[in-house]
């Protein structure tokens, strides 16, 4: 258990919501940035549905799920993520959007030690180039869906990634019972997607 770990999530699509389930089910305070407050009920419903599915499968009890839900918090400003020490960035594959996201994190989140982008198609150096102050804290941390059920992550640093950042992200993922694999060099789509597409094609 990492006692000082507070996790932030930006981007609440399927990956982001599944990541929120993963983090809360391991007992970590999880702060999700929501640009439009009106969408919070929909995000919460998707979050609850994932827990309901695990309850139905006997993975977790209703009582345990209720406790896990207390670790979730939604905010509609990046200032609300000021206490986060690690942030999963799971927004759309758009560098301009990511650049704005990183700028806001740099401005509002002084405790961040690393930013793990869930990108599956943008190279780490491109992500780092979209940042300024935190360019050395960004790596790709590409998960497999559903994130709360499949334990594997692919990690890939950029040429700007500071020493120790990858190790810190691996420590975070280990605390979430994930099994990260560190890639020696980046490739669009990364390794997991190629393997998945090959399996689908062979099926």
């Amino acid at each position: 258990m990492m006692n000082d770990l507070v996790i932030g999530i930006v981007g609440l699509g399927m990956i982001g919501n599944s990541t929120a389930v993963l983090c809360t089910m391991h007992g970590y305070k999880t702060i999700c940035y929501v640009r439009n407050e009106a969408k919070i009920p929909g995000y919460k419903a998707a979050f609850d549905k994932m827990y309901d599915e695990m309850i139905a499968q006997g993975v977790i009890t209703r009582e345990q799920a209720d406790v896990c839900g207390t670790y979730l918090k939604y905010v509609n400003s990046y200032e609300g993520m000021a206490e986060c020490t690690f942030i999963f960035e799971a927004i759309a594959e758009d560098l301009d959007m990511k650049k704005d996201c990183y700028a806001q994190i740099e401005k509002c989140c002084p405790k961040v030690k690393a930013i793990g982008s869930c990108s599956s198609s943008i190279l780490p150096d491109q992500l780092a180039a979209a940042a300024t102050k935190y360019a050395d804290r960004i790596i790709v941390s590409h998960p497999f869906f559903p994130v709360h059920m499949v334990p594997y992550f692919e990690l890939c640093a950029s040429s700007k990634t500071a020493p120790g950042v990858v190790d810190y992200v691996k420590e975070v993922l280990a605390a979430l019972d994930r099994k990260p694999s560190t890639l020696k060099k980046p490739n669009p789509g990364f390794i997991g997607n190629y393997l998945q597409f090959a399996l689908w094609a062979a099926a």
Side-chain angles (χ1 to χ4, degrees):
M1 191 79 178
M2 297 177 67
N3 294 328
D4 63 342
L5 178 61
V6 178
I7 298 173
I9 301 174
V10 183
L12 288 180
M14 291 191 303
I15 293 293
N17 252 319
S18 184
T19 303
V21 172
L22 169 68
C23 299
T24 54
M25 69 188 290
H26 282 83
Y28 288 103
K29 185 172 183 180
T30 303
I31 304 174
C32 299
Y33 169 74
V34 177
R35 184 169 54 183
N36 184 350
E37 280 188 289
K39 292 187 176 182
I40 291 177
Y43 293 140
K44 184 61 166 57
F47 174 88
D48 289 341
K49 182 179 179 181
M50 292 181 189
Y51 268 109
D52 289 341
E53 290 170 349
M54 288 193 291
I55 292 168
Q57 294 164 2
V59 175
I60 194 170
T61 67
R62 168 57 64 188
E63 292 74 18
Q64 289 171 326
D66 289 343
V67 171
C68 293
T70 65
Y71 296 111
L72 180 69
K73 179 181 180 181
Y74 295 103
V75 297
N76 71 335
S77 70
Y78 280 91
E79 287 85 354
M81 302 177 73
E83 62 183 302
C84 292
T85 52
F86 177 77
I87 293 178
F88 284 107
E89 175 267 294
I91 63 178
E93 300 286 67
D94 182 305
L95 270 174
D96 288 334
M97 291 178 64
K98 292 181 186 294
K99 182 176 182 179
D100 178 67
C101 171
Y102 299 153
Q104 292 298 322
I105 292 172
E106 290 168 340
K107 177 183 177 182
C108 303
C109 305
K111 297 183 178 181
V112 166
K113 299 178 182 180
I115 301 168
S117 175
C118 298
S119 176
S120 62
S121 63
I122 300 177
L123 300 180
D125 277 354
Q126 293 175 293
L127 296 172
T132 54
K133 184 170 67 173
Y134 289 172
D136 62 347
R137 304 180 200 187
I138 296 173
I139 72 166
V140 167
S141 57
H142 177 234
F144 292 73
F145 187 80
V147 187
H148 63 288
M149 297 296 286
V150 182
Y152 301 107
F153 271 77
E154 296 174 295
L155 306 183
C156 192
S158 80
S159 59
K160 294 184 178 180
T161 303
V165 170
V166 172
D167 286 340
Y168 175 73
V169 176
K170 289 170 71 174
E171 184 181 0
V172 170
L173 293 174
L176 299 173
D177 292 321
R178 302 301 92 179
K179 298 179 180 180
S181 177
T182 306
L183 306 184
K184 292 182 179 180
K185 62 180 181 179
N187 189 69
F190 302 96
I191 303 301
N193 284 348
Y194 279 105
L195 291 173
Q196 285 181 321
F197 287 135
L199 290 170
W200 287 334

